[in-house]
């Protein structure tokens, strides 16, 4: 029971007054309204009032019943002030720190962000300070203090700044396609219908992947002299380059190579006509 009550009210008078005005019953019969926070306060204070009533501590029972009634009406109900209680000096610092921690949380929106935990923390603080003033039931003091600490841990977690989600990882660079092959008829550097279709595919790939360089390498089979095939490989590469540039590919990114019969797709003997070797290979470089 608060020390102030002992000064103002004689023990017998307090009992008589409480008996005549059953604040606990009025609180029990109340229909709580208001926010989630005040409704949770109401339930907690009714419980404290009943606990003190069972111990015949009429004054504190009425105190908590009145707080329950105010909460039931949706009114603002503050935690007990440390200075209003007759505490041994050794307990003042811990309770003041706890009160300030709770008050700060409430000022920062705990009643909205964590109404159940905030209300429980307030009720347990009031329980703690009331039991600490009496200082006759260590297990009750510890239970109220521990209940306050557990509830405040949840309140603090609810109020903690939410970590910003890590930015999504950058998409992996799109792999460049494998080299393209454009085939030619025997002893010809003229683009066939199929060759022109393949060039359209290559142009689309260049637009999609934006390579830094496009290598165009001309090849021949082994039919004919090496010198002749070197020249023919150059003509084939030139035909492909012209088609690419005509389709909008920048000449600055295109590099031509003339390999003649020196890098066949299929190895053959000399003087062999092989369709798979009569080609231009187009490679996109990152």
């Amino acid at each position: 029971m608060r020390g102030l009550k002992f000064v103002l009210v004689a023990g017998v008078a307090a009992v008589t007054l409480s008996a005549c005005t059953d604040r606990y019953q009025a609180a029990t019969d109340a229909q709580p309204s208001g926010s989630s926070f005040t409704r949770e306060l109401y339930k907690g204070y009714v419980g404290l009032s009943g606990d003190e009533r069972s111990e015949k501590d009429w004054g504190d029972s009425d105190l908590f019943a009145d707080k329950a009634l105010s909460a039931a009406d949706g009114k603002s109900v503050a935690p007990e002030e440390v200075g209003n209680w007759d505490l041994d000096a050794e307990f003042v610092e811990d309770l003041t720190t706890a009160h300030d921690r709770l008050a700060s949380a409430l000022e920062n929106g705990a009643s909205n962000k964590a109404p159940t935990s905030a209300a429980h923390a307030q009720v347990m603080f009031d329980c703690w300070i009331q039991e600490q003033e009496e200082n006759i039931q260590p297990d009750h003091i510890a239970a109220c203090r521990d209940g306050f600490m557990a509830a405040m841990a949840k309140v603090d977690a609810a109020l903690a700044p939410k970590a910003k989600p890590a930015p999504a990882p950058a998409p992996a660079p799109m792999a460049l396609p494998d080299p393209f092959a454009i085939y030619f008829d025997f002893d010809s550097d003229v683009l066939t219908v199929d060759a022109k279709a393949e060039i359209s595919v290559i142009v689309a790939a260049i637009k999609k992947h934006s390579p830094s360089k496009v290598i165009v390498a001309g090849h021949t089979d082994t039919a004919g002299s090496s010198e002749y095939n070197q020249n023919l490989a150059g003509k084939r590469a030139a035909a492909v380059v012209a088609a690419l540039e005509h389709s909008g590919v920048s000449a600055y990114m295109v590099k031509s190579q003339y390999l003649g019969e020196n890098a066949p797709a299929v190895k053959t003997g000399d003087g062999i006509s092989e369709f798979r070797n009569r080609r231009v290979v187009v490679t996109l470089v990152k």
Side-chain angles (χ1 to χ4, degrees):
M1 182 181 296
R2 293 184 298 173
L4 183 61
K5 289 188 177 183
F6 283 106
V7 174
L8 298 178
V9 183
V12 174
V15 171
T16 303
L17 179 61
S18 297
C20 294
T21 307
D22 194 342
R23 307 300 293 156
Y24 170 72
Q25 189 61 52
T28 302
D29 293 340
Q31 297 297 318
S33 60
S35 66
S36 296
F37 175 66
T38 58
R39 290 196 298 272
E40 290 296 326
L41 281 181
Y42 164 76
K43 290 191 291 185
Y45 282 129
V46 166
L48 288 186
S49 179
D51 291 343
E52 295 308 306
R53 187 172 186 269
S54 68
E55 296 178 356
K56 296 183 173 54
D57 184 350
W58 311 114
D60 286 333
S61 177
D62 284 355
L63 168 69
F64 294 133
D66 286 341
K67 297 187 87 165
L69 287 166
S70 292
D73 289 338
K75 296 177 181 177
S76 175
V77 181
E80 288 297 302
E81 293 292 337
V82 176
N84 292 341
W85 292 79
D86 186 15
L87 300 165
D88 290 347
E90 63 185 295
F91 305 125
V92 171
E93 182 177 355
D94 285 349
L95 281 160
T96 299
T97 299
H99 177 278
D100 292 348
R101 180 184 177 190
L102 174 59
S104 176
L106 293 172
E107 288 175 3
N108 284 289
S111 61
N112 292 321
K113 296 179 180 178
T116 299
S117 297
H120 188 60
Q122 179 168 324
V123 170
M124 287 296 97
F125 176 79
D126 285 4
C127 173
W128 178 12
I129 201 170
Q130 182 269 330
E131 293 290 347
Q132 192 67 77
E133 184 194 68
E134 290 181 346
N135 202 23
I136 56 175
Q137 295 173 298
D139 55 334
H140 288 196
I141 295 169
C144 296
R145 181 183 63 243
D146 293 348
F148 169 79
M149 294 299 183
M152 281 304 302
K154 295 179 181 179
V155 170
D156 291 343
L159 295 181
K162 299 297 185 290
K164 293 182 179 179
M174 192 177 299
L176 293 176
D178 292 334
F180 300 88
I182 300 170
Y183 296 98
F184 290 81
D185 291 336
F186 178 72
D187 194 26
S188 172
D189 60 4
V190 177
L191 296 173
T192 65
V193 172
D194 288 343
K196 291 177 181 178
E198 186 68 5
I199 285 175
S200 296
V201 173
I202 295 170
V203 170
I206 292 171
K207 291 179 179 178
K208 179 178 180 180
H209 295 279
S210 300
S212 63
K213 188 186 301 182
V214 178
I215 299 175
V216 178
H219 299 264
T220 69
D221 56 26
T222 59
S225 70
S226 177
E227 183 179 355
Y228 180 86
N229 285 334
Q230 188 71 17
N231 185 55
L232 179 58
K235 291 180 180 180
R236 287 172 174 169
V240 172
V241 169
L244 290 174
E245 292 178 356
H246 180 73
S247 298
V249 177
S250 172
Y252 293 105
M253 71 165 54
V254 180
K255 180 180 178 181
S256 297
Q257 297 177 346
Y258 320 136
L259 301 179
E261 61 184 52
N262 296 314
V266 179
K267 291 184 178 181
T268 67
D270 190 28
I272 303 299
S273 173
E274 169 56 56
F275 173 74
R276 288 171 291 178
N277 290 337
R278 299 195 299 266
R279 73 202 191 282
V280 166
V281 176
V282 179
T283 303
L284 308 190
V285 179
K286 197 171 185 178

